[in-house]
Amino acid sequence: RLMGLCPGLHILGARPSMGKTAAMLFMASADMTTPSYIGSLEMPENRLIQRMMACLGNMPLAALKDPAKHMDSYWHSLTVAMTMLKDAPFYIRAKGGLTVEEMRRDVLEIAERHGTVGFIGVDYLQKVPSRKDYGSRHDMAIGEVAEDLKKLGDEVGAPVMALAQLNRAL
């Protein structure tokens, strides 16, 4: 169990810019000895790594975005974060249109190499393509993807956290 999360699917839904990705990265970094996998359809790898370093270094993301202005205050924090990440079994696949089957292949390869996978993160659920075309029935497509992600978590015995973006009006 990772921070109380059992294997299977967990969905974290919130409006844009509410910290969903930060929460997922925090979970992924909770155990830096067990492999974590992040499948991102939303954000490029370098931005995810920046966010992870900010999280591990307990520093604002602004310190990494504008280092000339902030780095003197956070140099030690950055060094700590980079040291933690350097040898961590942390895998990111950032790709638009990333399918559950591609994620499954990645995760099974990691599990074979390391003997286990501790956490799987997906950013975000509504962007993962379904296997079938459901036309305007987006709920059916999301249901299929969610079921496939649940099966993946059960198959490797790891929690899967899928982020879901809610409408700002909610």
Side-chain angles (χ1 to χ4, degrees):
R1 285 193 169 144
L2 178 70
M3 297 183 71
L5 292 180
C6 298
L9 179 63
H10 306 270
I11 298 175
L12 175 61
R15 295 186 313 267
S17 300
M18 297 298 291
K20 296 180 298 293
T21 302
M24 177 185 64
L25 293 174
F26 178 77
M27 293 284 198
S29 66
D31 178 3
M32 297 297 276
T33 62
T34 305
S36 289
Y37 173 83
I38 303 294
S40 177
L41 295 91
E42 176 72 355
M43 197 176 293
E45 183 178 353
N46 63 331
R47 285 188 47 212
L48 286 167
I49 291 170
Q50 268 188 338
R51 284 173 172 256
M52 177 66 81
M53 288 192 316
C55 177
L56 291 172
N58 196 26
M59 59 186 162
L61 190 55
L64 295 170
K65 288 184 176 181
D66 190 2
K69 195 184 284 186
H70 301 280
M71 205 39 68
D72 287 344
S73 327
Y74 294 105
W75 186 252
H76 176 72
S77 299
L78 179 62
T79 304
V80 168
M82 289 177 72
T83 301
M84 291 174 76
L85 270 178
K86 181 176 65 102
D87 297 319
F90 193 74
Y91 298 88
I92 298 173
R93 179 138 182 217
K95 174 188 165 201
L98 183 63
T99 66
V100 174
E101 188 53 38
E102 289 172 307
M103 289 184 239
R104 183 177 179 276
R105 279 194 300 268
D106 293 342
V107 167
L108 292 178
E109 183 181 311
I110 293 164
E112 186 176 311
R113 186 177 321 140
H114 294 278
T116 188
V117 174
F119 180 83
I120 302 164
V122 179
D123 189 10
Y124 66 87
L125 182 61
Q126 293 98 319
K127 288 196 172 190
V128 179
S130 60
R131 288 177 276 114
K132 298 181 201 167
D133 179 12
Y134 292 97
S136 63
R137 292 293 312 265
H138 300 296
D139 60 322
M140 298 290 288
I142 291 169
E144 175 196 295
V145 170
E147 181 63 29
D148 290 347
L149 289 172
K150 180 187 179 315
K151 287 177 185 173
L152 174 59
D154 291 342
E155 182 177 358
V156 296
V160 177
M161 178 175 281
L163 305 182
Q165 189 144 296
L166 303 179
N167 188 318
R168 286 188 187 273
L170 293 176

